[in-house]
Amino acid sequence: RKWRKKMKRRWLAAVLAATMLTGMLAGCISGGAAQEDTEESSEDGVVTLELFWQKSNTNVIQEIIDKFEEENPDIKIELTATSSDTGKQIFQTRMATNEPMDLVQHWPSQAEFRMMCQEGRMVDLTGNDWTDNIIDAYYDMSCVDDKLYSVPLSINAGVVAYNKDIFEEQNLEVPQTWDELIQTADALKAAGITPFIFSNGEKENCSQKFHIMTAAVSDDTWNPYDFYVGMYEGSGDRFADNDYSRLAAERLYLLSSEYSQPDALSTNYDLSMQMFANGEGAMMLTGTWAQSDIEKNNPDINMGMFALPTDDGVHAVISGIDPCIAAMSGTGKEEYALRFLEFIAQPENAQIYTDYDKAPSPIKGVTTDNPTIDMVLGYIENGQAIPWWRDYISTGVVSDEADLAQAFLMDGDIDTFLAGEEEIVLRQE
């Protein structure tokens, strides 16, 4: 599928114009510095690589690193771990101050990553035999201008996680429509059980939940990716005049304001994982990636995941690659970084990540044994998946969009929120 090409040229041209000078200076400066760093790190015969990691599952990537180092004693990998909420800002700062990483965990659809690929700051992996290990559809999804710059690790989807034990105790079934979802929430609330755990204290999660909801209100005539990309390309459509956008916002605010825990604003992502894992709420609007974080807090939780339904069932889920790893160019250590990328692209090593992450793998030969997501996999396999259109909001304004979503879940001012979303999409700095 070529849906990514629909929008990239216009906004990338503007972004690249603003960052061209920084990229050129970084390339000129980093060459000499990288060579010096390589020489220093090779004094004892061991080359040290930095892997910049923006996800919370640091234990599984460390396990993969440990195995790699055991099989490659001439390479040491130092893990620089940050959170998705701050990772973008740290990444931008380090790019601006010419502090490149050897290996970068990112998301292949995000504007920031694609811009770096366009600038030539990521190593082109196209043509390496080992890239044939990537399933064709996910290979294409990972490409920028038909070139591969990263190895994808897993695929995700926006879902509702639910506690099966609570549902069984309350004689509840998985809701198939929006009305049934609200009826379920009302029944839980009447029983003194918090229907939904929200993490409104983390602004990135607020934005994420709105994007999940936009996919959940889609139908055969409208989907959020085409609408928002069309806006940027000059369709003349407006958020405030779009019934689907308004409905998505209304429904998200309803769940947050009427059916969440009282202290949602003081709950961040990690705390929300703990609360849900400990049975403090029956459901949570999140993604398939949350399973490992939930089970880390409670390995014995009896949990399932289902697609968020709209009025007459499920039309689509929002989905994408989560995450990928790329090698940065101009470091002087590219050949060593490529050895790690080749390593993680091997089925036996990718299996380690999948066994922990529990999400479907984009690597051939890797199996996913995960009944928790059985109700979601069918929609992805049937093509009922919409790309994370939030990923295409340019890096310069993505933090503003998250601020906007968090403020909306605080005050419920839908008109201000929709007007702000429109300004964000059209600005695309």
Side-chain angles (χ1 to χ4, degrees):
R1 296 183 60 185
K2 302 300 181 184
W3 41 263
R4 289 166 182 77
K5 292 184 177 179
K6 187 174 180 182
M7 70 174 288
K8 65 186 172 190
R9 289 184 174 86
R10 290 189 179 184
W11 61 258
L12 274 174
V15 173
L16 287 172
T19 58
M20 186 72 73
L21 181 58
T22 300
M24 291 173 63
L25 288 174
C28 293
I29 297 171
S30 64
Q35 183 176 359
E36 182 180 345
D37 290 344
T38 304
E39 291 172 354
E40 291 177 358
S41 61
S42 300
E43 287 179 359
D44 58 356
V46 177
V47 173
T48 300
L49 304 177
E50 179 191 12
L51 170 53
F52 185 75
W53 190 258
Q54 302 181 67
K55 290 178 66 67
S56 60
N57 56 351
T58 53
N59 52 342
V60 65
I61 192 61
Q62 187 62 58
E63 180 180 345
I64 294 172
I65 289 172
D66 291 343
K67 184 183 179 191
F68 174 79
E69 291 178 341
E70 183 178 350
E71 297 180 17
N72 297 268
D74 60 326
I75 301 176
K76 176 179 176 56
I77 296 180
E78 294 182 346
L79 187 64
T80 299
T82 182
S83 69
S84 59
D85 198 33
T86 59
K88 289 184 176 65
Q89 288 77 19
I90 295 173
F91 185 82
Q92 286 178 310
T93 299
R94 289 191 56 175
M95 293 304 97
T97 56
N98 188 38
E99 298 178 79
M101 309 85 168
D102 302 294
L103 293 158
V104 176
Q105 175 265 303
H106 223 289
W107 294 267
S109 60
Q110 288 194 0
E112 177 181 56
F113 180 78
R114 298 171 70 84
M115 177 188 71
M116 292 293 148
C117 295
Q118 289 275 347
E119 284 189 313
R121 303 187 70 176
M122 300 295 171
V123 177
D124 183 358
L125 309 178
T126 311
N128 286 288
D129 292 342
W130 50 266
T131 62
D132 291 341
N133 290 345
I134 304 172
I135 296 172
D136 290 346
Y138 301 137
Y139 182 103
D140 294 341
M141 192 179 290
S142 301
C143 284
V144 178
D145 290 344
D146 298 323
K147 293 183 179 180
L148 183 71
Y149 293 93
S150 64
V151 176
L153 295 181
S154 69
I155 187 168
N156 65 32
V159 298
V160 177
Y162 74 105
N163 188 308
K164 289 184 176 181
D165 289 339
I166 293 178
F167 268 54
E168 183 176 349
E169 291 166 2
Q170 299 299 319
N171 296 313
L172 297 172
E173 300 290 335
V174 172
Q176 303 298 312
T177 67
W178 176 259
D179 285 344
E180 289 180 8
L181 179 70
I182 296 303
Q183 291 167 10
T184 298
D186 284 332
L188 289 164
K189 194 173 180 179
I193 300 169
T194 299
F196 281 90
I197 298 294
F198 266 71
S199 51
N200 295 350
E202 194 150 340
K203 65 181 185 180
E204 293 283 343
N205 281 186
C206 298
S207 169
Q208 188 181 81
K209 287 174 172 56
F210 174 63
H211 288 246
I212 292 173
M213 188 64 76
T214 60
V217 300
S218 66
D219 58 25
D220 295 336
T221 63
W222 184 90
N223 78 66
Y225 177 81
D226 289 343
F227 174 76
Y228 301 122
V229 171
M231 277 182 59
Y232 181 71
E233 294 191 332
S235 66
D237 290 330
R238 294 174 54 86
F239 267 82
D241 298 332
N242 181 258
D243 292 339
Y244 294 95
S245 298
R246 183 170 290 274
L247 181 62
E250 289 173 347
R251 289 185 171 181
L252 178 62
Y253 186 73
L254 174 66
L255 295 185
S256 175
S257 61
E258 297 295 327
Y259 297 106
S260 71
Q261 77 276 21
D263 58 345
L265 186 60
S266 61
T267 304
N268 63 15
Y269 175 81
D270 289 339
L271 181 57
S272 71
M273 295 297 108
Q274 295 173 24
M275 294 174 69
F276 181 79
N278 293 332
E280 296 180 43
M283 294 180 284
M284 182 165 58
L285 186 58
T286 183
T288 51
W289 61 82
Q291 181 178 351
S292 58
D293 292 322
I294 294 168
E295 292 177 346
K296 179 174 62 178
N297 287 281
N298 180 7
D300 298 323
I301 187 171
N302 187 15
M303 172 180 59
M305 292 182 173
F306 62 87
L308 187 63
T310 188
D311 295 335
D312 56 353
V314 177
H315 289 268
V317 295
I318 199 161
S319 179
I321 291 173
D322 178 27
C324 69
I325 300 182
M328 292 202 71
S329 59
T331 65
K333 306 177 189 177
E334 291 89 343
E335 64 175 294
Y336 302 98
L338 287 182
R339 283 168 57 183
F340 182 73
L341 295 184
E342 180 178 3
F343 181 84
I344 62 172
Q346 303 307 312
E348 62 271 20
N349 301 318
Q351 187 72 56
I352 298 172
Y353 193 89
T354 297
D355 287 344
Y356 178 90
D357 193 61
K358 307 297 186 182
S361 175
I363 303 298
K364 297 174 184 176
V366 176
T367 58
T368 304
D369 182 13
N370 185 9
T372 299
I373 60 174
D374 281 350
M375 287 188 289
V376 179
L377 288 176
Y379 300 111
I380 297 174
E381 293 169 355
N382 293 335
Q384 294 171 262
I386 296 170
W388 284 94
W389 61 271
R390 180 179 181 273
D391 286 349
Y392 290 84
I393 295 175
S394 67
T395 305
V397 295
V398 70
S399 181
D400 293 344
E401 202 252 355
D403 286 332
L404 191 70
Q406 187 178 52
F408 168 61
L409 292 186
M410 290 174 60
D411 60 30
D413 187 342
I414 191 169
D415 291 326
T416 297
F417 174 63
L418 293 177
E421 282 285 334
E422 178 176 312
E423 190 273 333
I424 289 291
V425 169
L426 295 179
R427 190 190 335 161
Q428 290 287 306
E429 291 176 350

